[in-house]
Amino acid sequence: MKNSISKPLKTTAAILSLSALSLSLAGTASGANLDVNFGSDNDGFGGFFTTAQSSQTTFAELEDSIQVNRSSGANERSGGLWTDEFTGANALNRDDGSFYTFTTQVAINSVIGSGGAGNVALMLFSNAAETDPQGISLKMFYGTSSADSPELRIDSRVNTSDSSSSERLAWTGDSFVSGNVFTLEGIVNFTATDAIVTFNLTDSAATPTTASVTRTFDKSALVWGDVHGVGTEHNGINFDVFNYGVVVPEPSTALLLGLVGIGLVLRRRR
């Protein structure tokens, strides 16, 4: 009799343990999804704010985008369009197992400056400092001379390139010139010690080109912030930002059902 009673009790304990695991998984997601279409007919600035080191950068609200206009002044450094929606209590979790997808769409209007190469960057987990924002910087890198090859780069600053050759990739799609539109996607997966970052870039050609590059950051070595957005570094790059999205994953219903299923199997087998 003891055996017939003790086995179901152990099974119940196993099911309760699995239920606790399900609840624990449900608590790993933080904040909420952000999906903004910019412009006067959409969400305006959509809760984003701007930074510019000097008056050489201006931001204009158009019908379906925010336009970033930069003059060719020699002292110009970085400018940015940022959201702090994921700060404070809504800060995105960087613990082991957390993962997020960020996207934005950018149209190049003109590159009129001189004085070296520059970029438009999808900035993630940034401190949004005006002179050289730090964080994860996913760059459309371009040059102002024929010697500079356009590239995808993953760096830790807007103005500084610290990526190795394996963390850069030559871009062979549409040129970073006026009239061309690009979708930038950043996927960040956190482990206990690292941030594994994938940068996907796609153009708007009739047959689109997509290229991807990956970099692993040591979490303890990177300067972290809770501001995300689009940054730029160049003397005279003008572009439109059409949208910005952050996907914060919710716990998988299939996973939770699977855990319940495991509990039922355990009960049957016992």
Side-chain angles (χ1 to χ4, degrees):
M1 191 68 162
K2 282 186 177 180
N3 288 339
S4 63
I5 294 174
S6 62
K7 286 184 178 178
L9 285 175
K10 289 181 180 179
T11 302
T12 301
I15 293 172
L16 289 175
S17 176
L18 288 166
S19 298
L21 176 60
S22 299
L23 291 174
S24 174
L25 287 169
T28 59
S30 61
N33 291 355
L34 174 67
D35 186 9
V36 175
N37 292 313
F38 296 120
S40 57
D41 284 351
N42 296 294
D43 300 319
F45 273 66
F48 280 66
F49 63 94
T50 62
T51 58
Q53 187 180 359
S54 75
S55 59
Q56 292 167 325
T57 303
T58 60
F59 299 85
E61 184 178 339
L62 304 183
E63 181 178 345
D64 58 358
S65 64
I66 294 176
Q67 189 170 92
V68 182
N69 296 306
R70 298 165 61 80
S71 73
S72 57
N75 296 321
E76 183 63 38
R77 293 297 298 276
S78 62
L81 181 66
W82 312 99
T83 180
D84 56 6
E85 178 165 325
F86 298 110
T87 56
N90 292 325
L92 299 182
N93 195 329
R94 297 192 291 271
D95 292 343
D96 186 12
S98 299
F99 64 97
Y100 308 99
T101 300
F102 302 79
T103 58
T104 193
Q105 190 176 49
V106 170
I108 304 298
N109 296 324
S110 63
V111 180
I112 60 175
S114 60
N119 66 75
V120 176
L122 180 57
M123 288 296 296
L124 314 177
F125 298 95
S126 174
N127 63 0
E130 291 186 12
T131 55
D132 194 2
Q134 299 183 65
I136 298 172
S137 182
L138 310 182
K139 297 177 179 176
M140 292 168 46
F141 173 87
Y142 53 88
T144 56
S145 72
S146 58
D148 294 314
S149 300
E151 292 181 332
L152 287 73
R153 293 186 178 184
I154 303 180
D155 290 314
S156 62
R157 293 174 180 263
V158 166
N159 300 330
T160 305
S161 290
D162 57 10
S163 51
S164 67
S165 58
S166 64
E167 296 153 356
R168 303 177 180 183
L169 183 68
W171 172 249
T172 59
D174 276 355
S175 300
F176 300 156
V177 297
S178 177
N180 288 337
V181 182
F182 302 88
T183 298
L184 294 78
E185 178 185 62
I187 302 170
V188 185
N189 288 274
F190 289 101
T191 70
T193 58
D194 298 321
I196 303 169
V197 182
T198 300
F199 175 29
N200 300 317
L201 181 65
T202 304
D203 62 23
S204 57
T207 302
T209 296
T210 297
S212 300
V213 64
T214 299
R215 178 174 182 178
T216 298
F217 289 96
D218 179 347
K219 289 200 298 189
S220 65
L222 199 65
V223 173
W224 294 101
D226 291 319
V227 179
H228 312 274
V230 179
T232 182
E233 182 266 325
H234 196 269
N235 299 325
I237 168 89
N238 300 325
F239 60 93
D240 284 8
V241 182
F242 288 93
N243 48 56
Y244 194 95
V246 182
V247 176
V248 179
E250 295 295 333
S252 169
T253 302
L255 176 60
L256 299 183
L257 289 175
L259 292 172
V260 173
I262 291 172
L264 293 175
V265 169
L266 287 172
R267 186 169 187 176
R268 288 195 202 102
R269 287 181 176 175
R270 289 177 183 271

